[in-house]
Amino acid sequence: DVKVTQSSRYLVKRTGEKVFLECVQDMDHENMFWYRQDPGLGLRLIYFSYDVKMKEKGDIPEGYSVSREKKERFSLILESASTNQTSMYLCASSLGAGGPFSQPQHFGDGTRLSIL
Amino acid sequence: GDSVTQMEGPVTLSEEAFLTINCTYTATGYPSLFWYVQYPGEGLQLLLKATKADDKGSNKGFEATYRKETTSFHLEKGSVQVSDSAVYFCALILNRDDKIIFGKGTRLHILP
């Protein structure tokens, strides 16, 4: 089975801090994704990557950046955390055949981030 | 624009009841359709999928049929269990536009 591992289940940070969320997948998937999940809003795509060092903006990239230096690892960075970034963050990966969104995505268990 | 609409929850049923969670979509072209499930404290898992009209996806007793004429992909299960309590997300993929669109999710509570 595909395993997508997010480094922290719960994280508490302060306003203005630089925050790193890490995600690792073990199935050699080309595509990786970061979402945030909020009540009543469902999942919203922040960024995705279809190859090492490649990244594309999703629907809500403002206030975030990403890094993909190795195929198995995709990091989400909050440059200067704000309280409106308190949320559940989900990482996902998928095979590359047919384009970034053509294959089902496999999700990690999520990181619940609180910004105080 | 393209969208997915799910019935609002929470949905509360007794064990062994029949389940339907409605999902309709708006899309130009021919999307692939998915149901994902999120159990408490976990990420989303793919439950089932259908890639063309009249396809039926099935898994773990759940079924959904891709109905192009009604632009729907309703999730059904004949006899639910307490362990089915979760949040269910309908989603579509539009290869043409390279994006995935999720519904807002429907929370399901099954009472013993």
Side-chain angles (χ1 to χ4, degrees), chain A residues 9 33 35 37 40-43 45 48 59 88 90 98-110, chain B residues 32 34 36 38 40-46 49 87 89 92-95 97-100 102-105:
Chain A
R9 292 299 301 271
F33 309 83
Y35 295 87
Q37 182 180 12
L41 297 177
L43 273 71
L45 180 65
F48 68 97
D59 297 319
M88 169 72 87
L90 294 171
F101 294 94
S102 62
Q103 302 295 321
Q105 297 180 13
H106 301 263
F107 285 80
D109 287 341
Chain B
S32 297
F34 302 82
Y36 283 84
Q38 184 178 31
E42 298 183 11
L44 279 69
Q45 302 174 24
L46 179 65
K49 67 177 182 178
V87 181
F89 292 89
L92 66 84
I93 289 179
L94 290 162
N95 295 341
D97 289 338
D98 267 15
K99 60 181 173 181
I100 182 169
F102 286 92
K104 293 184 177 180

Side-chain angles (χ1 to χ4, degrees), chain B residues 14-32:
Chain B
S14 297
E15 205 165 22
E16 300 183 2
F18 184 86
L19 168 70
T20 301
I21 300 179
N22 290 340
C23 172
T24 57
Y25 68 90
T26 301
T28 52
Y30 303 96
S32 297

